[in-house]
């Protein structure tokens, strides 16, 4: 997913309101009994801890996007929660339990203790959901728990203020730093590619394959498919802001600035849909551009390479292979030729030895002879170049994993054989 954390804006705002309402009741309404005060303390403790935890996750995710994930008046909320923290400190400070606390016996909870304290509260938290209709025994020191709740409430309120303030400052920095926005946009793209693109790609490929089965796999057919997808993506009636965003992208407008300027209205789902369209559009552009590479190789190399894609791929791989492989003897180039043949780039059943030698001499700047090359290539079990052959294939695989263009060329080259 684009954001691993996906709390909605309304959910976060509901939690913040709940914190304010629970705190106001604690500070502004006198309880009719001490039990009611204890109950209110539990409520404030629960909602503050929940909200602080959600804001902690949200603040982390805000650093992976430039969308405004909260959509609130940050300064107002910071002021409200600061005031509530002061009011709660004053009210609870009047309660003898907290006013006369023995800090030697009941030390204050520190930030680094929060996770362990939450573990201690887990049995109490799970009590209503004990299961099998049987209550589970839950023993605890009520006095110690009251002190821990007190400390966790104020740590949580400090966290709410800190995380809200952090997101506010972050939005301000993004507003004045274009390079920061560019890096953040790339992060959003990377997150989409990591979590969403593979699934979206498979769905698109199924649609593409259905289209190709009816209309063929040439430039005209793929261009028509692209027009269909572009029209769907820019349909204002159904697409809304995403359609506008896609329109800006297609017309080479500054679509990233549009995203940033509308970050308060755009959602995670909007961005996913837009990035999905961009990736599909680019994939189709690449396939259309590479259509010519399915044609036979050019000129003298028509009998050597299986397609133009195979020829271009072999030429692009040659300097990479030469960099990582030590061709100390002329017969070592037989390992290269065998690797290219086994990859499906060279035609195996053609009398093309002369052309092959000419290509090697021209590409690798060597002067090898045809008899040397063919002698080693025609051996069924040529162990003398086996290790070199495996090394070349390993280098090729690594390079194709690193470079998407080489990977695409290989796909075209091997498909050309089918």
């Amino acid at each position: 997913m684009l954001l691993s954390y996906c709390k909605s804006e309304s959910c976060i705002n509901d939690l913040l309101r709940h914190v304010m309402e629970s705190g106001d009741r604690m500070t502004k309404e006198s309880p009719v009994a001490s039990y009611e005060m204890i109950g209110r303390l539990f409520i404030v403790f629960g909602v503050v801890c929940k909200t602080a935890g959600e804001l902690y996750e949200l603040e982390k995710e805000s650093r992976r996007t430039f969308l405004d994930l909260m959509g609130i008046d940050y300064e107002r909320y910071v002021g409200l929660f600061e005031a509530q923290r002061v009011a709660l400190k004053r009210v609870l400070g009047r309660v003898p339990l907290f006013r006369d606390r023995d800090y030697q016996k009941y030390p204050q909870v520190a930030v680094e203790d929060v996770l362990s304290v939450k573990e201690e509260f887990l049995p109490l938290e799970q009590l209503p959901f004990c299961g099998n209709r049987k209550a589970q025994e839950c023993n605890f020191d009520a006095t110690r728990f009251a002190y821990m709740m007190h400390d966790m409430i104020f740590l949580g309120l400090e966290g709410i203020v800190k995380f809200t303030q952090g997101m506010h400052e972050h939005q301000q920095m993004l507003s004045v730093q274009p390079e920061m926005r560019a890096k953040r946009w790339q992060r959003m793209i990377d997150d989409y590619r990591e979590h969403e693109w593979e699934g979206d790609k498979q769905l698109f490929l199924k649609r593409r394959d259905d289209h190709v089965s009816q209309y063929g796999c040439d430039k005209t057919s793929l261009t028509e498919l692209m027009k269909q997808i572009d029209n769907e993506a820019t349909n204002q009636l159904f697409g809304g802001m995403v359609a506008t965003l896609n329109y800006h992208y297609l017309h080479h407008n500054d679509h990233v600035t549009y995203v940033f300027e509308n970050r308060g209205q755009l959602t995670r789902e909007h961005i996913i849909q837009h990035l999905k369209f961009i990736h599909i559009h680019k994939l189709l552009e690449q396939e259309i551009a590479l259509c010519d590479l399915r044609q036979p190789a050019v000129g003298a190399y028509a009998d050597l390479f299986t397609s133009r894609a195979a020829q271009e791929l072999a030429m692009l791989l040659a300097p990479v292979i030469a960099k990582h492989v030590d061709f100390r003897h002329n017969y070592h180039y037989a390992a290269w030729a065998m690797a290219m043949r086994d990859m499906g780039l060279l035609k195996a059943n053609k009398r093309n030895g002369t052309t092959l030698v000419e290509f090697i001499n021209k590409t690798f700047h060597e002067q090898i002879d045809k008899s040397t090359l063919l002698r080693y290539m025609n051996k069924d079990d040529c162990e003398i170049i086996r290790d070199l052959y495996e090394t070349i294939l390993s280098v090729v695989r690594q390079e194709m994993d690193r470079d998407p263009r080489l990977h695409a060329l290989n796909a075209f080259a091997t498909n050309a054989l089918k």
Side-chain angles (χ1 to χ4, degrees):
M1 59 181 106
L2 181 62
L3 299 174
S4 59
Y5 181 83
C6 56
K7 280 287 180 184
S8 69
E9 173 189 317
S10 61
C11 182
I12 293 297
N13 286 333
D14 287 345
L15 284 172
L16 292 173
R17 283 193 292 271
H18 198 177
V19 172
M20 291 301 303
E21 291 167 359
S22 302
D24 285 348
R25 190 174 183 198
M26 175 73 81
T27 58
K28 297 177 181 178
E29 298 179 20
S30 298
V32 297
S34 59
Y35 287 119
E36 184 181 359
M37 186 197 72
I38 294 169
R40 290 181 185 177
L41 189 68
F42 266 105
I43 291 171
V44 173
F45 165 73
V47 72
V48 165
C49 289
K50 174 69 172 177
T51 305
E54 300 289 5
L55 280 175
Y56 169 75
E57 296 294 337
L58 194 65
E59 198 270 343
K60 281 198 306 182
E61 291 303 328
S62 73
R63 299 182 182 278
R64 306 178 70 89
T65 180
F66 52 54
L67 295 183
D68 186 351
L69 299 183
M70 290 188 68
I72 62 171
D73 183 340
Y74 291 96
E75 292 181 335
R76 175 175 174 271
Y77 269 83
V78 167
L80 287 173
F81 284 106
E82 283 280 18
Q84 185 173 85
R85 187 175 65 85
V86 172
L88 278 170
K89 182 74 75 173
R90 182 179 65 252
V91 169
L92 292 178
R94 300 191 193 118
V95 179
L97 174 69
F98 303 120
R99 183 188 63 209
D100 303 326
R101 177 175 178 174
D102 182 350
Y103 283 93
Q104 292 293 325
K105 187 175 181 180
Y106 300 104
Q108 193 165 0
V109 175
V111 174
E112 56 269 22
D113 303 325
V114 167
L115 293 180
S116 61
V117 169
K118 286 182 69 175
E119 286 293 322
E120 288 193 58
F121 273 93
L122 195 58
L124 186 59
E125 184 178 355
Q126 293 179 340
L127 187 59
F129 313 101
C130 55
N132 299 323
R133 298 184 180 180
K134 294 181 180 179
Q136 302 296 311
E137 186 173 342
C138 180
N139 299 314
F140 60 93
D141 181 340
T143 303
R144 181 166 174 270
F145 267 39
Y147 286 132
M148 288 194 297
M149 281 194 293
H150 173 278
D151 296 345
M152 292 280 282
I153 286 170
F154 289 104
L155 286 173
L157 287 171
E158 289 173 10
I160 290 172
V161 170
K162 175 184 174 183
F163 303 139
T164 305
Q165 184 66 43
M167 283 187 275
H168 178 47
E169 292 172 353
H170 193 62
Q171 287 294 323
Q172 288 180 315
M173 285 190 292
L174 284 167
S175 296
V176 297
Q177 296 182 18
E179 67 282 359
M180 186 177 180
R181 294 198 296 272
K183 290 179 181 177
R184 191 56 50 81
W185 179 248
Q186 186 57 52
R187 183 65 176 269
M188 294 163 74
I189 293 173
D190 292 343
D191 280 349
Y192 171 77
R193 290 189 65 84
E194 180 180 353
H195 299 291
E196 303 284 348
W197 170 232
E198 192 56 38
D200 290 341
K201 180 181 178 181
Q202 294 308 314
L203 289 174
F204 164 70
L205 291 178
K206 184 179 185 305
R207 176 176 177 178
R208 185 206 61 183
D209 291 344
D210 290 343
H211 178 89
V212 166
S213 67
Q214 295 184 63
Y215 304 105
C217 192
D218 54 23
K219 274 187 175 181
T220 302
S221 169
L222 293 177
T223 300
E224 182 59 33
L225 177 60
M226 176 182 280
K227 287 180 181 177
Q228 292 176 18
I229 289 172
D230 290 351
N231 288 335
E232 292 168 7
T234 55
N235 188 323
Q236 288 286 344
L237 183 61
F238 300 105
M241 293 185 74
V242 179
T244 302
L245 188 51
N246 294 338
Y247 176 88
H248 285 311
Y249 172 78
L250 284 178
H251 289 78
H252 307 289
N253 298 331
D254 189 352
H255 66 290
V256 179
T257 296
Y258 178 84
V259 173
F260 184 71
E261 290 176 347
N262 293 275
R263 64 193 183 279
Q265 290 76 47
L266 289 166
T267 66
R268 168 184 175 271
E269 288 303 320
H270 289 145
I271 300 302
I272 287 177
Q273 290 304 311
H274 176 56
L275 292 177
K276 173 184 175 180
F277 167 67
I278 288 178
H279 282 70
I280 288 174
H281 187 86
K282 286 183 176 179
L283 186 61
L284 273 173
E285 279 186 329
Q286 184 183 61
E287 291 205 4
I288 291 169
L290 292 174
C291 270
D292 287 341
L293 297 174
R294 285 198 175 98
Q295 302 302 314
V298 179
Y301 293 135
D303 288 335
L304 179 60
F305 292 104
T306 54
S307 66
R308 293 183 197 176
Q311 179 181 346
E312 184 166 341
L313 181 59
M315 294 177 68
L316 290 174
L317 286 173
V320 179
I321 294 170
K323 180 180 177 181
H324 293 90
V325 178
D326 185 11
F327 293 102
R328 285 180 290 178
H329 304 287
N330 284 347
Y331 63 83
H332 284 168
Y333 287 96
W336 173 87
M338 290 169 62
M340 296 300 102
R341 182 190 63 194
D342 292 348
M343 286 175 58
L345 306 187
L346 300 183
K347 293 181 177 179
N349 299 318
K350 289 283 187 177
R351 300 177 65 85
N352 52 21
T354 301
T355 309
L356 175 59
V357 170
E358 289 175 356
F359 179 82
I360 292 173
N361 287 339
K362 180 179 178 180
T363 304
F364 291 95
H365 308 291
E366 290 289 346
Q367 288 298 320
I368 65 173
D369 61 87
K370 178 180 175 181
S371 60
T372 299
L373 183 73
L374 297 183
R375 183 165 66 250
Y376 285 91
M377 281 188 69
N378 292 332
K379 290 185 177 181
D380 294 332
D381 186 20
C382 195
E383 291 300 324
I384 194 171
I385 59 173
R386 177 60 55 185
D387 289 344
L388 201 63
Y389 167 85
E390 296 292 347
T391 300
I392 291 170
L393 287 180
S394 177
V395 169
V396 168
R397 284 192 293 268
Q398 292 176 18
E399 193 64 17
M400 285 197 293
D401 287 342
R402 187 192 65 81
D403 190 332
R405 174 170 170 76
L406 295 181
H407 183 80
L409 278 170
N410 184 56
F412 272 85
T414 52
N415 285 338
L417 291 174
K418 299 177 182 179

